[in-house]
């Protein structure tokens, strides 16, 4: 082979290699890879502007969720516009209208309550902006107003809490008195966790919910409402079912101040599986927590990118979850990510 032929072959090899690299990196905007391996904008390679209207900062769970979603959006190379509604529906409506005015590419929305968003979601649809419901659902007939819902099955969480209790107290003769701390009035997790719990309890008439009130998903309110429960029903309370761990942690404080032992005199059931609940369980003050996983940011970004790339998505996508008891707490605490 003479020198000229050799250098032509080398040139061809180099061109093929460059073309191969270009094909591999198509779709890249220079952002960090998301969990499906795509970079910004999915297959389209587009850098997206994403508006995220969050409920607030009412709980440990919410803080972890905000962090997860924000990080996944920016890590994927997209631009984030964030708005904290401070648990107020009017703030969310304003935020969504402002995202529409700014012509964002997609809106992520975790509705504080289930109803009252129809008009603003229609405005987003008219503007051609896809809406992704994250964590909480809306109660609206027309499901063309959002692309998909990604979050937990709150009814199932309520069932899991109830089933644990039935099993734990199956040998108890007589009545079991339960007090319930509900989440934010009108919110999907408060409505559904109550429904799931009551559905199971319906077959066990000796288990009675003697008091039920909202603690708005916060520690301070959980403590305040538990104090009122203890004042009126004191030593008659066997179980606290709290719609989240933060309220349960507030209630534990109230129970101790009242002079009873949480976890022993009163069984404590929470939802979320945040670190604070594992600490309380490791200290013997809380019995069980039903997992509600907030770390779905990367999965959410994958869904947005898939939709922008023209993929058809399921209307409801559930996050897989577990349940954790007091005896597992010490071992699992160091591994908890939120
Ligand atoms: O919507 C999820 C719920 O909202 C979490 O269980 C609770 O802690 C949060 O505030």
């Amino acid at each position: 082979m003479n020198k000229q032929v050799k250098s032509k072959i080398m040139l061809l090899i180099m061109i093929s290699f460059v073309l191969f690299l270009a094909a591999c990196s198509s779709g890249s905007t220079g952002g960090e890879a998301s969990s499906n391996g795509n970079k910004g904008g999915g297959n389209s390679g587009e850098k997206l502007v994403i508006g995220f209207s969050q409920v607030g900062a009412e709980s440990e769970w919410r803080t972890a969720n905000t962090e997860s979603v924000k990080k996944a959006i920016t890590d994927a190379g997209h631009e984030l516009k964030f708005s904290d509604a401070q648990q107020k529906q009017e703030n969310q409506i304003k935020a969504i209208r402002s995202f529409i005015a700014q012509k964002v590419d997609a809106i992520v929305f975790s509705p504080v309550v289930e109803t009252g968003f129809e008009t603003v979601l229609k405005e987003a649809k008219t503007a051609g902006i896809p809406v992704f419901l994250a964590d909480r659902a809306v109660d609206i007939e027309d499901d063309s107003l959002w692309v998909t819902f990604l979050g937990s099955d709150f009814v199932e969480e309520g069932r899991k809490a109830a089933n644990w209790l039935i099993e734990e107290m199956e040998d108890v003769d007589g009545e079991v008195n339960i007090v319930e701390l509900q989440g934010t009035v009108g919110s999907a997790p408060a409505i559904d966790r109550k429904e799931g719990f009551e559905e199971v309890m319906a077959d066990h008439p000796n288990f009675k919910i003697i008091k039920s009130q909202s603690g708005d998903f916060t520690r301070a309110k959980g403590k305040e409402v538990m104090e009122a429960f203890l004042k009126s029903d004191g030593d008659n309370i066997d179980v606290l079912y709290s719609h989240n761990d933060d309220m349960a942690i507030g209630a534990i404080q109230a129970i101790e101040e009242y002079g009873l032992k949480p976890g022993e005199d009163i069984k404590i059931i929470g939802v979320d599986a945040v670190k604070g609940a594992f600490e309380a369980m490791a200290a013997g003050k809380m019995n069980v927590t039903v997992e509600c996983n907030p770390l779905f940011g990367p999965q959410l970004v994958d869904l947005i990118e898939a939709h922008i790339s023209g993929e058809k998505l399921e209307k409801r996508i559930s996050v897989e979850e577990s349940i954790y008891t007091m005896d597992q707490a010490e071992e699992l605490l160091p591994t908890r990510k939120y």
Side-chain angles (χ1 to χ4, degrees):
M1 214 183 294
N2 68 27
K3 248 188 170 183
Q4 236 184 343
V5 175
K6 258 191 192 168
S7 54
K8 269 189 185 160
I9 292 175
M10 279 303 288
L11 189 67
L12 274 173
I13 291 172
M14 278 167 70
I15 290 172
S16 318
F17 186 58
V18 169
L19 285 174
F20 170 72
L21 284 182
C24 289
S25 66
S26 75
S28 163
T29 56
E32 267 186 41
S34 61
S35 63
N36 68 357
N38 284 336
K39 293 182 180 181
N43 296 335
S44 68
E46 204 185 323
K47 174 173 172 164
L48 305 171
V49 180
I50 301 174
F52 174 24
S53 166
Q54 178 61 292
V55 170
E58 73 283 2
S59 61
E60 254 187 81
W61 187 99
R62 186 65 56 197
T63 308
N65 179 249
T66 302
E67 211 24 62
S68 170
V69 175
K70 276 180 162 181
K71 186 170 179 326
I73 291 174
T74 51
D75 279 1
H78 302 306
E79 185 183 331
L80 168 73
K81 293 192 181 291
F82 179 73
S83 170
D84 174 343
Q86 297 172 339
Q87 296 244 66
K88 292 199 176 76
Q89 179 169 42
E90 63 267 30
N91 290 347
Q92 288 204 295
I93 293 174
K94 262 192 225 151
I96 295 172
R97 289 211 167 109
S98 141
F99 294 152
I100 297 171
Q102 293 174 75
K103 298 189 172 36
V104 297
D105 298 304
I107 293 173
V108 172
F109 168 44
S110 185
V112 62
V113 290
E114 283 192 333
T115 56
F117 288 106
E118 198 154 357
T119 308
V120 75
L121 291 184
K122 277 185 180 153
E123 291 168 23
K125 187 180 172 183
T126 307
I129 300 173
V131 172
F132 294 79
L133 296 177
D135 162 41
R136 296 186 182 178
V138 286
D139 186 7
I140 296 174
E141 280 271 301
D142 180 4
D143 69 2
S144 73
L145 298 181
W146 63 94
V147 176
T148 187
F149 163 87
L150 171 67
S152 306
D153 183 340
F154 297 136
V155 179
E156 186 54 25
E157 290 171 352
R159 288 190 199 112
K160 281 184 190 162
N163 283 323
W164 176 85
L165 181 60
I166 301 292
E167 216 173 287
E168 176 74 9
M169 301 194 82
E170 64 185 350
D171 298 332
V172 174
D173 279 335
E175 300 210 324
V176 175
N177 291 331
I178 304 165
V179 292
E180 180 183 34
L181 278 172
Q182 293 182 42
T184 303
V185 176
S187 70
I191 295 167
D192 294 354
R193 286 174 186 161
K194 185 170 186 49
E195 184 189 319
F197 191 83
E198 285 177 350
E199 182 193 299
V200 174
M201 287 304 162
D203 295 331
H204 302 272
N206 60 320
F207 287 78
K208 291 213 156 52
I209 299 177
I210 56 167
K211 284 268 151 58
S212 181
Q213 206 180 305
S214 172
D216 211 14
F217 282 130
T218 67
R219 282 187 194 200
K221 263 295 188 84
K223 179 168 188 267
E224 192 185 306
V225 177
M226 190 69 206
E227 281 166 356
F229 287 163
L230 287 162
K231 205 168 175 193
S232 62
D233 289 274
D235 300 337
N236 280 332
I237 303 170
D238 301 306
V239 178
L240 164 67
Y241 168 45
S242 172
H243 288 191
N244 83 345
D245 290 337
D246 278 74
M247 292 187 295
I249 291 165
I252 285 171
Q253 219 185 313
I255 294 167
E256 286 180 319
E257 284 171 15
Y258 185 79
L260 292 174
K261 284 195 173 139
E264 275 182 50
D265 298 326
I266 299 179
K267 301 241 182 259
I268 313 286
I269 306 172
V271 182
D272 281 353
V274 294
K275 271 191 195 151
F278 278 79
E279 281 158 7
M281 290 197 295
K285 297 179 181 183
M286 187 164 165
N287 303 79
V288 67
T289 180
V290 177
E291 187 181 31
C292 178
N293 190 349
L295 307 180
F296 52 66
Q299 196 181 351
L300 179 67
V301 171
D302 282 352
L303 292 172
I304 296 171
E305 291 176 349
H307 171 79
I308 300 283
S309 304
E311 228 177 273
K312 176 122 181 59
L313 302 177
E314 296 285 320
K315 265 296 171 205
R316 193 181 172 99
I317 299 165
S318 289
V319 178
E320 294 262 312
E321 286 155 347
S322 191
I323 175 165
Y324 301 101
T325 49
M326 199 187 241
D327 50 310
Q328 302 169 289
E330 214 170 296
E331 191 192 331
L332 293 178
L333 183 55
T335 68
R336 297 301 297 164
K337 292 201 170 59
Y338 64 95

